[in-house]
Amino acid sequence: HQCFSVLLQSSVDGSEFVDRFTMKGFQVTRQVCSPYIPLDFLEFNCGGRDNGCFQSVSLGTCPFAGQACRNNVCICEGRTTVEEARVAGLQCGEFDDGCGSPLSLGDCPVFGEICVEGNQCKGEALAAYHWRLVCQSGTIDRWWVYEAELFTDGMCEEMAPAGRPISLGSLSVQHTAGNAFDMNRDSRWISVCYQCQPNEA
């Protein structure tokens, strides 16, 4: 009454076991080489090691840009300082120092500004500074927009600062995106698409 397939497993703490090696076949005496796996090298975390069976086992690479693998251990050799981050253009919030530790640049120094993506300070109304109008339904002709006005307050009294209007296309140079923001209700932007598909214009 022998077992044809025997699975060798191991565990660090006795609660969770991982598969190591499978032996198959009926033999009275069996000698096999069970190679080391990354879990066997708790003191190492990168590079390669001898797996004990005439091959190598990979322990992976260092997870952070400022680290280097030295003798199978990730060593921080390129930690970014707060001063270097400011020179690179970062203004606020937290960022990774390149070795897995957070560094803080603090809050925005100007009242009313908030820290947005990319560690940049922006006026609160400009936290999102790219806006667009999309025709979700599609059109039966071309899409015309005579005037579009964006406001920064709920009472529609404070107009958003003027930016650079762009579009996916205009019918002609007389009907460009700027016409929708020129405060002139006699001009208009006209889409280049005719019978535009949903979200096309």
Side-chain angles (χ1 to χ4, degrees), residues 55-102:
Q55 291 182 336
S56 63
V57 56
S58 175
L59 305 181
T61 58
C62 296
F64 300 102
Q67 293 178 326
C69 188
R70 305 297 183 210
N71 298 318
N72 298 110
V73 177
C74 292
I75 304 297
C76 182
E77 295 185 348
R79 190 184 305 277
T80 302
T81 66
V82 171
E83 291 73 20
E84 290 171 334
R86 292 194 186 281
V87 170
L90 304 185
Q91 300 174 334
C92 58
E94 288 190 346
F95 69 98
D96 189 280
D97 69 350
C99 292
S101 298

mmCIF file of all heavy atoms in Angstrom, residues 55-102:
data_model
loop_
_atom_site.group_PDB
_atom_site.id
_atom_site.type_symbol
_atom_site.label_atom_id
_atom_site.label_comp_id
_atom_site.label_asym_id
_atom_site.label_seq_id
_atom_site.Cartn_x
_atom_site.Cartn_y
_atom_site.Cartn_z
ATOM 1 N N GLN A 55 21.572 24.979 -9.565
ATOM 2 C CA GLN A 55 20.940 26.032 -10.345
ATOM 3 C C GLN A 55 20.846 27.274 -9.457
ATOM 4 O O GLN A 55 21.302 27.275 -8.314
ATOM 5 C CB GLN A 55 19.550 25.599 -10.848
ATOM 6 C CG GLN A 55 19.594 24.501 -11.909
ATOM 7 C CD GLN A 55 18.211 24.127 -12.410
ATOM 8 O OE1 GLN A 55 17.210 24.321 -11.727
ATOM 9 N NE2 GLN A 55 18.161 23.603 -13.619
ATOM 10 N N SER A 56 20.243 28.330 -9.983
ATOM 11 C CA SER A 56 20.098 29.556 -9.201
ATOM 12 C C SER A 56 18.617 29.872 -8.987
ATOM 13 O O SER A 56 17.760 29.450 -9.761
ATOM 14 C CB SER A 56 20.784 30.737 -9.901
ATOM 15 O OG SER A 56 20.171 31.004 -11.143
ATOM 16 N N VAL A 57 18.346 30.615 -7.928
ATOM 17 C CA VAL A 57 16.990 31.068 -7.639
ATOM 18 C C VAL A 57 17.016 32.588 -7.585
ATOM 19 O O VAL A 57 17.915 33.191 -7.002
ATOM 20 C CB VAL A 57 16.476 30.480 -6.299
ATOM 21 C CG1 VAL A 57 17.400 30.808 -5.149
ATOM 22 C CG2 VAL A 57 15.070 30.988 -5.997
ATOM 23 N N SER A 58 16.046 33.216 -8.233
ATOM 24 C CA SER A 58 15.972 34.678 -8.270
ATOM 25 C C SER A 58 15.205 35.199 -7.055
ATOM 26 O O SER A 58 14.118 34.710 -6.740
ATOM 27 C CB SER A 58 15.288 35.152 -9.555
ATOM 28 O OG SER A 58 15.106 36.559 -9.537
ATOM 29 N N LEU A 59 15.783 36.188 -6.407
ATOM 30 C CA LEU A 59 15.126 36.829 -5.260
ATOM 31 C C LEU A 59 14.478 38.152 -5.657
ATOM 32 O O LEU A 59 14.039 38.898 -4.791
ATOM 33 C CB LEU A 59 16.150 37.054 -4.138
ATOM 34 C CG LEU A 59 16.903 35.812 -3.670
ATOM 35 C CD1 LEU A 59 17.874 36.164 -2.551
ATOM 36 C CD2 LEU A 59 15.932 34.730 -3.202
ATOM 37 N N GLY A 60 14.464 38.451 -6.951
ATOM 38 C CA GLY A 60 13.797 39.660 -7.419
ATOM 39 C C GLY A 60 14.728 40.861 -7.470
ATOM 40 O O GLY A 60 15.942 40.755 -7.279
ATOM 41 N N THR A 61 14.138 42.018 -7.723
ATOM 42 C CA THR A 61 14.886 43.269 -7.812
ATOM 43 C C THR A 61 14.436 44.217 -6.714
ATOM 44 O O THR A 61 13.378 44.028 -6.110
ATOM 45 C CB THR A 61 14.666 43.938 -9.177
ATOM 46 O OG1 THR A 61 13.251 44.176 -9.359
ATOM 47 C CG2 THR A 61 15.168 43.039 -10.302
ATOM 48 N N CYS A 62 15.207 45.227 -6.476
ATOM 49 C CA CYS A 62 14.853 46.218 -5.451
ATOM 50 C C CYS A 62 13.653 47.030 -5.933
ATOM 51 O O CYS A 62 13.604 47.450 -7.091
ATOM 52 C CB CYS A 62 16.034 47.134 -5.174
ATOM 53 S SG CYS A 62 17.461 46.269 -4.468
ATOM 54 N N PRO A 63 12.678 47.281 -5.069
ATOM 55 C CA PRO A 63 11.425 47.908 -5.501
ATOM 56 C C PRO A 63 11.489 49.412 -5.705
ATOM 57 O O PRO A 63 10.587 49.977 -6.314
ATOM 58 C CB PRO A 63 10.472 47.557 -4.350
ATOM 59 C CG PRO A 63 11.347 47.427 -3.151
ATOM 60 C CD PRO A 63 12.636 46.849 -3.658
ATOM 61 N N PHE A 64 12.531 50.083 -5.214
ATOM 62 C CA PHE A 64 12.568 51.537 -5.286
ATOM 63 C C PHE A 64 13.765 52.016 -6.100
ATOM 64 O O PHE A 64 14.837 51.400 -6.083
ATOM 65 C CB PHE A 64 12.598 52.140 -3.881
ATOM 66 C CG PHE A 64 11.402 51.765 -3.054
ATOM 67 C CD1 PHE A 64 11.500 50.780 -2.074
ATOM 68 C CD2 PHE A 64 10.175 52.351 -3.269
ATOM 69 C CE1 PHE A 64 10.406 50.414 -1.319
ATOM 70 C CE2 PHE A 64 9.066 51.998 -2.528
ATOM 71 C CZ PHE A 64 9.181 51.025 -1.546
ATOM 72 N N ALA A 65 13.564 53.132 -6.797
ATOM 73 C CA ALA A 65 14.561 53.635 -7.741
ATOM 74 C C ALA A 65 15.867 54.012 -7.059
ATOM 75 O O ALA A 65 16.939 53.937 -7.671
ATOM 76 C CB ALA A 65 14.001 54.847 -8.489
ATOM 77 N N GLY A 66 15.834 54.416 -5.810
ATOM 78 C CA GLY A 66 17.036 54.848 -5.120
ATOM 79 C C GLY A 66 17.807 53.724 -4.469
ATOM 80 O O GLY A 66 18.816 53.977 -3.788
ATOM 81 N N GLN A 67 17.352 52.487 -4.649
ATOM 82 C CA GLN A 67 18.014 51.351 -4.029
ATOM 83 C C GLN A 67 18.909 50.616 -5.020
ATOM 84 O O GLN A 67 18.650 50.609 -6.216
ATOM 85 C CB GLN A 67 16.982 50.372 -3.462
ATOM 86 C CG GLN A 67 16.179 50.918 -2.295
ATOM 87 C CD GLN A 67 15.148 49.920 -1.807
ATOM 88 O OE1 GLN A 67 14.580 49.151 -2.577
ATOM 89 N NE2 GLN A 67 14.900 49.924 -0.507
ATOM 90 N N ALA A 68 19.945 49.988 -4.488
ATOM 91 C CA ALA A 68 20.833 49.130 -5.278
ATOM 92 C C ALA A 68 20.983 47.801 -4.542
ATOM 93 O O ALA A 68 20.932 47.749 -3.312
ATOM 94 C CB ALA A 68 22.190 49.788 -5.469
ATOM 95 N N CYS A 69 21.150 46.720 -5.302
ATOM 96 C CA CYS A 69 21.299 45.386 -4.710
ATOM 97 C C CYS A 69 22.767 45.121 -4.429
ATOM 98 O O CYS A 69 23.589 45.041 -5.352
ATOM 99 C CB CYS A 69 20.729 44.338 -5.669
ATOM 100 S SG CYS A 69 20.644 42.674 -4.955
ATOM 101 N N ARG A 70 23.112 44.993 -3.157
ATOM 102 C CA ARG A 70 24.486 44.723 -2.745
ATOM 103 C C ARG A 70 24.501 43.459 -1.884
ATOM 104 O O ARG A 70 23.882 43.425 -0.822
ATOM 105 C CB ARG A 70 25.053 45.892 -1.937
ATOM 106 C CG ARG A 70 24.986 47.238 -2.634
ATOM 107 C CD ARG A 70 25.819 47.277 -3.897
ATOM 108 N NE ARG A 70 25.805 48.593 -4.527
ATOM 109 C CZ ARG A 70 25.934 48.807 -5.815
ATOM 110 N NH1 ARG A 70 26.081 47.768 -6.639
ATOM 111 N NH2 ARG A 70 25.921 50.025 -6.306
ATOM 112 N N ASN A 71 25.174 42.431 -2.376
ATOM 113 C CA ASN A 71 25.247 41.158 -1.639
ATOM 114 C C ASN A 71 23.864 40.634 -1.272
ATOM 115 O O ASN A 71 23.611 40.208 -0.154
ATOM 116 C CB ASN A 71 26.116 41.308 -0.387
ATOM 117 C CG ASN A 71 27.550 41.672 -0.711
ATOM 118 O OD1 ASN A 71 28.134 41.141 -1.645
ATOM 119 N ND2 ASN A 71 28.109 42.601 0.055
ATOM 120 N N ASN A 72 22.959 40.726 -2.255
ATOM 121 C CA ASN A 72 21.588 40.220 -2.122
ATOM 122 C C ASN A 72 20.741 41.004 -1.123
ATOM 123 O O ASN A 72 19.717 40.515 -0.647
ATOM 124 C CB ASN A 72 21.581 38.740 -1.743
ATOM 125 C CG ASN A 72 22.236 37.867 -2.791
ATOM 126 O OD1 ASN A 72 23.318 37.330 -2.582
ATOM 127 N ND2 ASN A 72 21.589 37.737 -3.938
ATOM 128 N N VAL A 73 21.125 42.215 -0.820
ATOM 129 C CA VAL A 73 20.345 43.074 0.073
ATOM 130 C C VAL A 73 20.147 44.434 -0.586
ATOM 131 O O VAL A 73 21.108 45.007 -1.131
ATOM 132 C CB VAL A 73 21.040 43.247 1.438
ATOM 133 C CG1 VAL A 73 20.246 44.198 2.335
ATOM 134 C CG2 VAL A 73 21.209 41.901 2.122
ATOM 135 N N CYS A 74 18.928 44.954 -0.550
ATOM 136 C CA CYS A 74 18.634 46.274 -1.119
ATOM 137 C C CYS A 74 19.155 47.364 -0.185
ATOM 138 O O CYS A 74 18.753 47.434 0.985
ATOM 139 C CB CYS A 74 17.137 46.440 -1.337
ATOM 140 S SG CYS A 74 16.456 45.378 -2.634
ATOM 141 N N ILE A 75 20.042 48.182 -0.708
ATOM 142 C CA ILE A 75 20.656 49.261 0.056
ATOM 143 C C ILE A 75 20.255 50.595 -0.567
ATOM 144 O O ILE A 75 20.303 50.755 -1.787
ATOM 145 C CB ILE A 75 22.195 49.141 0.070
ATOM 146 C CG1 ILE A 75 22.622 47.772 0.602
ATOM 147 C CG2 ILE A 75 22.816 50.262 0.899
ATOM 148 C CD1 ILE A 75 22.230 47.516 2.039
ATOM 149 N N CYS A 76 19.860 51.551 0.274
ATOM 150 C CA CYS A 76 19.494 52.871 -0.231
ATOM 151 C C CYS A 76 20.760 53.661 -0.534
ATOM 152 O O CYS A 76 21.550 53.971 0.353
ATOM 153 C CB CYS A 76 18.640 53.613 0.799
ATOM 154 S SG CYS A 76 18.092 55.238 0.211
ATOM 155 N N GLU A 77 20.933 53.976 -1.834
ATOM 156 C CA GLU A 77 22.115 54.732 -2.243
ATOM 157 C C GLU A 77 21.756 56.032 -2.950
ATOM 158 O O GLU A 77 22.646 56.800 -3.312
ATOM 159 C CB GLU A 77 22.991 53.878 -3.160
ATOM 160 C CG GLU A 77 23.582 52.651 -2.475
ATOM 161 C CD GLU A 77 24.544 51.895 -3.367
ATOM 162 O OE1 GLU A 77 24.582 52.193 -4.584
ATOM 163 O OE2 GLU A 77 25.253 51.003 -2.863
ATOM 164 N N GLY A 78 20.464 56.272 -3.176
ATOM 165 C CA GLY A 78 20.068 57.481 -3.916
ATOM 166 C C GLY A 78 18.865 58.156 -3.309
ATOM 167 O O GLY A 78 17.909 58.488 -4.011
ATOM 168 N N ARG A 79 18.891 58.355 -2.010
ATOM 169 C CA ARG A 79 17.749 58.965 -1.326
ATOM 170 C C ARG A 79 17.586 60.433 -1.751
ATOM 171 O O ARG A 79 18.545 61.204 -1.743
ATOM 172 C CB ARG A 79 17.930 58.885 0.187
ATOM 173 C CG ARG A 79 16.682 59.289 0.965
ATOM 174 C CD ARG A 79 16.961 59.281 2.465
ATOM 175 N NE ARG A 79 17.483 57.999 2.917
ATOM 176 C CZ ARG A 79 16.732 56.941 3.210
ATOM 177 N NH1 ARG A 79 15.409 57.021 3.093
ATOM 178 N NH2 ARG A 79 17.292 55.823 3.623
ATOM 179 N N THR A 80 16.371 60.809 -2.140
ATOM 180 C CA THR A 80 16.073 62.185 -2.524
ATOM 181 C C THR A 80 15.776 63.018 -1.291
ATOM 182 O O THR A 80 15.024 62.583 -0.411
ATOM 183 C CB THR A 80 14.868 62.235 -3.479
ATOM 184 O OG1 THR A 80 15.143 61.443 -4.640
ATOM 185 C CG2 THR A 80 14.568 63.657 -3.911
ATOM 186 N N THR A 81 16.349 64.210 -1.213
ATOM 187 C CA THR A 81 16.092 65.106 -0.089
ATOM 188 C C THR A 81 14.982 66.088 -0.434
ATOM 189 O O THR A 81 14.601 66.241 -1.601
ATOM 190 C CB THR A 81 17.363 65.886 0.276
ATOM 191 O OG1 THR A 81 17.698 66.761 -0.817
ATOM 192 C CG2 THR A 81 18.531 64.945 0.542
ATOM 193 N N VAL A 82 14.467 66.758 0.579
ATOM 194 C CA VAL A 82 13.434 67.769 0.361
ATOM 195 C C VAL A 82 13.969 68.873 -0.542
ATOM 196 O O VAL A 82 13.267 69.363 -1.438
ATOM 197 C CB VAL A 82 12.960 68.350 1.708
ATOM 198 C CG1 VAL A 82 12.061 69.556 1.496
ATOM 199 C CG2 VAL A 82 12.207 67.277 2.508
ATOM 200 N N GLU A 83 15.197 69.278 -0.341
ATOM 201 C CA GLU A 83 15.784 70.336 -1.150
ATOM 202 C C GLU A 83 15.871 69.915 -2.620
ATOM 203 O O GLU A 83 15.566 70.709 -3.528
ATOM 204 C CB GLU A 83 17.176 70.691 -0.620
ATOM 205 C CG GLU A 83 17.200 71.383 0.733
ATOM 206 C CD GLU A 83 16.881 70.442 1.889
ATOM 207 O OE1 GLU A 83 17.009 69.196 1.696
ATOM 208 O OE2 GLU A 83 16.478 70.931 2.966
ATOM 209 N N GLU A 84 16.266 68.679 -2.871
ATOM 210 C CA GLU A 84 16.353 68.198 -4.246
ATOM 211 C C GLU A 84 14.980 68.124 -4.888
ATOM 212 O O GLU A 84 14.824 68.398 -6.082
ATOM 213 C CB GLU A 84 17.021 66.825 -4.271
ATOM 214 C CG GLU A 84 18.513 66.855 -3.931
ATOM 215 C CD GLU A 84 19.090 65.471 -3.746
ATOM 216 O OE1 GLU A 84 18.322 64.545 -3.399
ATOM 217 O OE2 GLU A 84 20.305 65.307 -3.942
ATOM 218 N N ALA A 85 13.972 67.763 -4.102
ATOM 219 C CA ALA A 85 12.610 67.689 -4.632
ATOM 220 C C ALA A 85 12.112 69.066 -5.036
ATOM 221 O O ALA A 85 11.441 69.228 -6.061
ATOM 222 C CB ALA A 85 11.677 67.070 -3.590
ATOM 223 N N ARG A 86 12.414 70.077 -4.247
ATOM 224 C CA ARG A 86 11.983 71.443 -4.574
ATOM 225 C C ARG A 86 12.695 71.939 -5.835
ATOM 226 O O ARG A 86 12.092 72.603 -6.685
ATOM 227 C CB ARG A 86 12.243 72.381 -3.403
ATOM 228 C CG ARG A 86 11.365 72.096 -2.186
ATOM 229 C CD ARG A 86 11.404 73.227 -1.179
ATOM 230 N NE ARG A 86 10.685 72.904 0.032
ATOM 231 C CZ ARG A 86 9.363 72.950 0.159
ATOM 232 N NH1 ARG A 86 8.616 73.304 -0.873
ATOM 233 N NH2 ARG A 86 8.775 72.650 1.305
ATOM 234 N N VAL A 87 13.966 71.602 -5.978
ATOM 235 C CA VAL A 87 14.691 71.978 -7.186
ATOM 236 C C VAL A 87 14.058 71.313 -8.407
ATOM 237 O O VAL A 87 13.993 71.896 -9.493
ATOM 238 C CB VAL A 87 16.184 71.596 -7.064
ATOM 239 C CG1 VAL A 87 16.901 71.761 -8.396
ATOM 240 C CG2 VAL A 87 16.864 72.441 -5.988
ATOM 241 N N ALA A 88 13.558 70.083 -8.234
ATOM 242 C CA ALA A 88 12.917 69.346 -9.335
ATOM 243 C C ALA A 88 11.522 69.869 -9.644
ATOM 244 O O ALA A 88 10.890 69.400 -10.591
ATOM 245 C CB ALA A 88 12.863 67.866 -9.000
ATOM 246 N N GLY A 89 11.018 70.814 -8.849
ATOM 247 C CA GLY A 89 9.729 71.409 -9.154
ATOM 248 C C GLY A 89 8.574 70.962 -8.286
ATOM 249 O O GLY A 89 7.452 71.414 -8.467
ATOM 250 N N LEU A 90 8.815 70.055 -7.327
ATOM 251 C CA LEU A 90 7.748 69.639 -6.421
ATOM 252 C C LEU A 90 7.510 70.745 -5.393
ATOM 253 O O LEU A 90 8.457 71.377 -4.912
ATOM 254 C CB LEU A 90 8.109 68.334 -5.720
ATOM 255 C CG LEU A 90 8.445 67.147 -6.628
ATOM 256 C CD1 LEU A 90 8.660 65.894 -5.804
ATOM 257 C CD2 LEU A 90 7.367 66.936 -7.670
ATOM 258 N N GLN A 91 6.241 70.975 -5.045
ATOM 259 C CA GLN A 91 5.900 72.129 -4.219
ATOM 260 C C GLN A 91 5.251 71.794 -2.886
ATOM 261 O O GLN A 91 5.334 72.585 -1.946
ATOM 262 C CB GLN A 91 4.951 73.058 -5.001
ATOM 263 C CG GLN A 91 5.538 73.591 -6.289
ATOM 264 C CD GLN A 91 4.535 74.377 -7.095
ATOM 265 O OE1 GLN A 91 3.323 74.165 -6.998
ATOM 266 N NE2 GLN A 91 5.026 75.299 -7.904
ATOM 267 N N CYS A 92 4.581 70.651 -2.775
ATOM 268 C CA CYS A 92 3.782 70.403 -1.583
ATOM 269 C C CYS A 92 3.512 68.919 -1.408
ATOM 270 O O CYS A 92 3.816 68.104 -2.281
ATOM 271 C CB CYS A 92 2.450 71.157 -1.677
ATOM 272 S SG CYS A 92 1.494 70.694 -3.162
ATOM 273 N N GLY A 93 2.911 68.562 -0.269
ATOM 274 C CA GLY A 93 2.487 67.198 -0.025
ATOM 275 C C GLY A 93 3.639 66.244 0.272
ATOM 276 O O GLY A 93 4.758 66.667 0.572
ATOM 277 N N GLU A 94 3.348 64.964 0.175
ATOM 278 C CA GLU A 94 4.345 63.936 0.434
ATOM 279 C C GLU A 94 4.807 63.285 -0.865
ATOM 280 O O GLU A 94 4.069 63.226 -1.839
ATOM 281 C CB GLU A 94 3.778 62.855 1.366
ATOM 282 C CG GLU A 94 3.600 63.301 2.812
ATOM 283 C CD GLU A 94 3.283 62.143 3.740
ATOM 284 O OE1 GLU A 94 2.948 61.050 3.212
ATOM 285 O OE2 GLU A 94 3.366 62.317 4.961
ATOM 286 N N PHE A 95 6.036 62.824 -0.863
ATOM 287 C CA PHE A 95 6.572 62.093 -2.004
ATOM 288 C C PHE A 95 7.516 61.019 -1.492
ATOM 289 O O PHE A 95 7.971 61.068 -0.345
ATOM 290 C CB PHE A 95 7.302 63.036 -2.967
ATOM 291 C CG PHE A 95 8.594 63.595 -2.419
ATOM 292 C CD1 PHE A 95 9.812 63.033 -2.737
ATOM 293 C CD2 PHE A 95 8.571 64.684 -1.565
ATOM 294 C CE1 PHE A 95 10.984 63.540 -2.217
ATOM 295 C CE2 PHE A 95 9.753 65.205 -1.043
ATOM 296 C CZ PHE A 95 10.958 64.634 -1.375
ATOM 297 N N ASP A 96 7.777 60.032 -2.337
ATOM 298 C CA ASP A 96 8.669 58.948 -1.965
ATOM 299 C C ASP A 96 10.112 59.403 -2.127
ATOM 300 O O ASP A 96 10.473 60.013 -3.136
ATOM 301 C CB ASP A 96 8.405 57.721 -2.842
ATOM 302 C CG ASP A 96 9.167 56.504 -2.348
ATOM 303 O OD1 ASP A 96 10.369 56.412 -2.650
ATOM 304 O OD2 ASP A 96 8.570 55.673 -1.656
ATOM 305 N N ASP A 97 10.937 59.106 -1.143
ATOM 306 C CA ASP A 97 12.331 59.546 -1.187
ATOM 307 C C ASP A 97 13.210 58.683 -2.079
ATOM 308 O O ASP A 97 14.420 58.875 -2.152
ATOM 309 C CB ASP A 97 12.913 59.592 0.225
ATOM 310 C CG ASP A 97 13.078 58.201 0.837
ATOM 311 O OD1 ASP A 97 12.571 57.220 0.259
ATOM 312 O OD2 ASP A 97 13.707 58.109 1.911
ATOM 313 N N GLY A 98 12.598 57.737 -2.794
ATOM 314 C CA GLY A 98 13.353 56.846 -3.670
ATOM 315 C C GLY A 98 13.781 55.562 -3.004
ATOM 316 O O GLY A 98 14.281 54.653 -3.662
ATOM 317 N N CYS A 99 13.549 55.483 -1.679
ATOM 318 C CA CYS A 99 13.937 54.286 -0.941
ATOM 319 C C CYS A 99 12.776 53.746 -0.107
ATOM 320 O O CYS A 99 12.989 52.971 0.832
ATOM 321 C CB CYS A 99 15.135 54.579 -0.048
ATOM 322 S SG CYS A 99 16.649 54.921 -0.981
ATOM 323 N N GLY A 100 11.556 54.181 -0.407
ATOM 324 C CA GLY A 100 10.383 53.643 0.260
ATOM 325 C C GLY A 100 9.905 54.403 1.477
ATOM 326 O O GLY A 100 8.972 53.965 2.140
ATOM 327 N N SER A 101 10.517 55.538 1.771
ATOM 328 C CA SER A 101 10.097 56.326 2.930
ATOM 329 C C SER A 101 9.486 57.639 2.452
ATOM 330 O O SER A 101 9.996 58.261 1.513
ATOM 331 C CB SER A 101 11.275 56.617 3.859
ATOM 332 O OG SER A 101 11.814 55.411 4.363
ATOM 333 N N PRO A 102 8.395 58.089 3.082
ATOM 334 C CA PRO A 102 7.771 59.348 2.654
ATOM 335 C C PRO A 102 8.523 60.559 3.207
ATOM 336 O O PRO A 102 8.995 60.557 4.338
ATOM 337 C CB PRO A 102 6.366 59.252 3.246
ATOM 338 C CG PRO A 102 6.530 58.401 4.472
ATOM 339 C CD PRO A 102 7.616 57.415 4.141
#
